[in-house]
């Protein structure tokens, strides 16, 4: 069974985010879900982004990275949207990473390290109707890092899905696509 560090999106630890973590736990994995907002969560992305801006994106990334302290080297780093910053950074720079799962976002290669680490499996999941993922360069970054990951890299896009579609409490929630994301993530975790 895998150790997973799962980092929340801008709306915080929403019920849907926590349900996703619980589904991984139910499959026998150890899932760590640090709360970077100190107990606050937000009903809308705009409210959550205002909170993230008030803390600072760099500070949130540092908190996410610090959350890995004390975890086994062979941890899978996963994040939803905002949480991808720290998850991807950890996967690329922390020795012994067991894998990475990036949901709704991807950061260009070179931001954290020049290449993707050899032997670290990667999944990127994004909605084809997600303006952030498709129109702001994330899908291009995803293609780049998946190519760099070689045979261990996978990019999955979901027709008609918007931002945070795998979070059951999100307005963009898509039950069928979310179930497929969950199964694909469980498949990756079973391989590490």
């Amino acid at each position: 069974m895998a150790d997973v560090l799962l980092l929340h999106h801008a709306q915080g630890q929403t019920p849907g985010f926590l349900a996703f973590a619980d589904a991984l736990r139910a499959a026998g994995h150890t899932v760590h879900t640090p709360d970077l907002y100190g107990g606050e969560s937000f009903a809308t992305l705009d409210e959550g982004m205002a909170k993230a801006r008030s803390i600072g994106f760099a500070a949130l990334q540092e908190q996410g990275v610090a959350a890995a302290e004390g975890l086994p080297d062979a941890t899978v780093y996963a994040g939803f949207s905002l949480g991808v910053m720290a998850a991807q950074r950890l996967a690329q720079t922390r020795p012994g990473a067991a894998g990475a799962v990036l949901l709704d976002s991807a950061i260009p290669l070179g931001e954290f390290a020049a290449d993707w680490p050899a032997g670290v499996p990667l999944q990127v999941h994004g909605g084809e109707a997600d303006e952030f993922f498709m129109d702001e360069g994330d899908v291009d970054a995803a293609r780049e890092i998946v190519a760099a990951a070689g045979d261990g890299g996978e990019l999955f896009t979901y027709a008609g899905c918007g931002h945070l579609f795998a979070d059951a409490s999100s307005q963009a929630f898509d039950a069928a696509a979310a179930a497929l994301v969950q199964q694909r993530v469980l498949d990756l975790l079973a391989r590490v």
Side-chain angles (χ1 to χ4, degrees):
M1 293 294 121
D3 277 281
V4 180
L5 177 63
L6 180 62
L7 298 161
H8 64 74
H9 49 72
Q11 289 175 244
Q13 289 194 337
T14 60
F17 167 83
L18 294 171
F20 188 90
D22 286 343
L24 302 183
R25 288 183 185 111
H29 303 289
T30 301
V31 183
H32 308 272
T33 54
D35 185 349
L36 307 183
Y37 282 178
E40 289 185 88
S41 63
F42 301 90
T44 70
L45 188 55
D46 287 341
E47 292 170 333
M49 288 300 290
K51 176 66 174 184
R53 284 187 198 95
S54 75
I55 295 170
F57 294 108
L60 287 168
Q61 184 181 147
E62 292 305 320
Q63 287 179 43
V65 168
E69 291 176 16
L71 296 182
D73 289 342
T75 294
V76 175
Y77 302 103
F80 277 84
S81 190
L82 179 70
V84 164
M85 293 186 306
Q88 184 174 332
R89 178 175 156 190
L90 286 161
Q92 286 189 262
T93 63
R94 190 169 190 239
V101 176
L102 312 178
L103 299 143
D104 305 299
S105 184
I107 310 298
L109 199 60
E111 180 70 23
F112 306 121
D115 208 347
W116 191 261
V120 176
L122 163 69
Q123 286 186 351
V124 183
H125 301 266
E128 292 178 6
D130 179 350
E131 62 200 48
F132 303 108
F133 188 77
M134 297 305 289
D135 300 337
E136 294 185 4
D138 291 67
V139 70
D140 298 324
R143 289 182 184 118
E144 181 183 32
I145 60 175
V146 164
D151 290 342
E154 300 174 291
L155 170 60
F156 300 106
T157 59
Y158 301 82
C161 292
H163 199 62
L164 305 178
F165 70 93
D167 177 329
S169 53
S170 167
Q171 293 176 341
F173 178 63
D174 182 300
L180 188 52
V181 169
Q182 181 179 310
Q183 186 55 58
R184 287 171 167 164
V185 171
L186 289 171
D187 290 346
L188 181 141
L189 295 179
R191 293 192 305 263
V192 299

